[in-house]
Amino acid sequence: MKKLILLWLLLALLASNVAAQVRLLNDFSSKLDQAAIVLKAQADLEAQQSNLLAQEAQRGWEVFGGISAGYQKSPFAREPFGRFFDPMARIGLRYPLLGSAERQQRAVNDAATQVKIEDIRLGWSRRLAASFLEESYAAYWSSQKMLALSEAYIRLRDEGFEKAISKRREAGLLFMSDYLEFLSAFDRAERTRIEYRNNREQALNRLSHLTNSTVMPFEAVKPLLAEITNNFTADYDQPDLRIIRTQIDNLQNTQETEKWQGIESDVSTTAFVGPAIPYPSADSMQYGYGGAVGVNFRMPLEIVNYRKSERSRLNSQLISFRSEYARREQELQHEFHTLFNNYQQTIQQIKFLHTRLAAAKELMRERDLRMRVMDGDVLEKYLQAVNTYYRVATEYIEAESEHWKIHIRLRQYISESLPAKSNKSKDHDAEVDIVSLIEPLNQAKRFLHGEKKNAEVQQFSGFVLPVSTPSVDVKFATYVWNFEDLVDRPYFWQQKSIEKIDRFLISLNAKQILRFSANPGKLNQFIEKAHRHGSRVELLLGDPSWILPKYRNKLMTIIGSLADIRFDGLHLDIEPDQLEDALTEKERLIAFVETVRQATAISPWPVGVSMHHRYLHNKLSFDLCIVCKLKQAGIREIAIMYYSINTSAIVKTLRDAMNKHPSMFFSLAQSLEPVLGPENSYFRQSPAVFNEAMQQFNTQLQNHNFSGIVIQSWQDFESYLYENSI
């Protein structure tokens, strides 16, 4: 029997839990009268109603009376009857007149005014309680949605995300900064989960407080929010304004009705009874009685000043209330317009994030397809797409929550009825439910669970993706302006991107020059590793101020300080065009050649220079043959900086130069810099376009004096590889 009872109780408990899983906003509204704010306002109203009844009871006729006793001595009586015991009793009625009647009426009016104020506050407390309840429900809903999203994202870490990127980092295929950025994304998600767990608990506590009941965890459902447009009527008559207006009306009524301030008056009738004087005998007492009717008044001696001051006080209070009313009305109008503008902004933000969410989801799909058919850094790109999707999804939930909260507050200013739940169309794109939000994160598990790439042609939605982008069989040289990041990078020589580079032109900053000139061991080790991997390392110096005679010695000093380092060459990237304010155009070219000549004279390594392609033409060089002068200065190679995607023009220019100067080696500098426009840089071009152009250069410029292609720069080359697989 006991087991049956326990089983019945357990089933009842389970049934109640199932029933409580989904709770709508309307399920809580019926208990709003139990909210503390409503109960307090109700009690305050009842107290003021009792005070009004008390004030009305004190108005009008009054009963007064008294009993007294004492001794009298009559000058007309002989001893021993000269002293008399004199008791007396009296009773009467009194009716207030003039200022007394006005004072009683004012007390009644003040009490009635306070009842109106408390009634306004009671109605407002019910509206506030409903708003607080809906805001708490909205906070619970957004916390519930954010927690589900964050927990789905964090599960990816435990199911292989962290392990995958750790292996990539150990293999040198992932920068440490990117690795830490991936890990920090999970830390941020963990922080978000803790934050919204607290928010959910706080919302649950507020719901319990507002309904004066125990609220267990449940599943919240967002109601449809009615559309709010510019056509509605704004209601600035808020409770605080109605309270001030009630006080103004009371003061105006006092000013209009009170004419006898300071003059207290009443009419009274009195009956009394007492002993007759003198007593007829010492042993007996005879009583007499009587009555009187009278008019009484009292006033201060300074009655004129009193009345004047009282009128001035009332007038000042009235001015104060009217000023406060005008100020508060302006504030409410400003608050309303600010709130409505914020509301419109949140609508646009939701539309924007709705589009971004679709884009992030599509990016995940595209990265997934690329990961199936391509090699390279597609894994990192896919994980970045996952992170982007999670970040956009959290922003979308936050925007939805903010939109709901502003919608609640804005409804307080709308005069016509506009319930939260409506059959009208919503004022923004359809809400993305939590199942749809989490679906892309759940799909990410397919890769994390070890799904292999498909080497066959993949077809999706009518688009056919090739197995891979044909790679270009070209080796590059590259300008390296961030050598401090490169020299300390673990597994640098195991990176796949290194396979494309056979020549590094490395630039050193002032600190590195001082350090390596004093202790060249680390730099020499880097050069030795480069040689083992079939690459050359040249020193790149690129300060155009060295062209000027007064700064030329700095260049010579740097070359001398690094002379013991086993560089394969020295490359000068000192552009005369950057000295427009210092020298005339021809003077700049002459100074440029002289600086190169002096550097070549003291350099322990072969020297090359970078030069703009227009200086290949004498007409554009003030009739100076710059190539001839550089040859005379001892230069063995010139890197022609021709930043353009017009391959035919570049090929023609380089061919003409190589044929004209067969004893000078030429290389071609091409840009992958994102700061240049699409007509000057391949950064925004597809891998197919880049590969085709590089292959065309490599084929059509083949000559005994063509040294190859130089990429500007290594950092941009790596960024391009991260975006594309070549």
Side-chain angles (χ1 to χ4, degrees), residues 39 54 174 190 199 250 423 496 588 602 650 689 719:
L39 293 176
L174 182 66
E190 194 70 57
N199 291 350
N250 184 45
N423 292 325
K496 188 175 180 179
R588 291 199 302 269
I602 68 167
I650 294 174
V689 173
S719 298

Side-chain angles (χ1 to χ4, degrees), residues 243-255:
I243 289 173
I244 296 174
R245 190 166 59 246
T246 300
Q247 293 171 325
I248 291 174
D249 292 342
N250 184 45
L251 282 175
Q252 287 179 332
N253 181 63
T254 300
Q255 279 187 326

Side-chain angles (χ1 to χ4, degrees), residues 589 614-626:
L589 292 177
R614 70 171 173 274
Y615 296 133
L616 294 173
H617 307 284
N618 294 355
K619 292 182 179 180
L620 300 178
S621 306
F622 308 97
D623 296 326
L624 297 175
C625 180
I626 301 301

Side-chain angles (χ1 to χ4, degrees), residues 489-506:
R489 187 183 301 173
Y491 309 105
F492 173 74
W493 297 106
Q494 284 74 41
Q495 291 183 205
K496 188 175 180 179
S497 56
I498 299 301
E499 299 174 2
K500 301 288 184 182
I501 307 299
D502 63 357
R503 183 180 170 200
F504 294 92
L505 310 178
I506 63 171

Side-chain angles (χ1 to χ4, degrees), residues 285-343:
M285 183 183 299
Q286 295 182 355
Y287 290 91
Y289 55 88
V293 175
V295 176
N296 308 303
F297 72 92
R298 68 178 182 274
M299 69 180 70
L301 291 176
E302 297 291 337
I303 183 62
V304 176
N305 290 335
Y306 172 80
R307 289 169 61 86
K308 181 178 179 181
S309 299
E310 180 66 11
R311 286 194 297 270
S312 177
R313 182 184 68 82
L314 292 174
N315 189 57
S316 297
Q317 282 186 338
L318 192 58
I319 293 173
S320 175
F321 280 126
R322 285 171 175 168
S323 300
E324 176 66 15
Y325 185 92
R327 182 194 66 80
R328 183 57 184 149
E329 187 176 36
Q330 292 175 356
E331 285 183 353
L332 286 171
Q333 292 178 7
H334 175 72
E335 290 172 6
F336 165 75
H337 288 296
T338 301
L339 194 61
F340 186 69
N341 290 336
N342 291 340
Y343 175 77

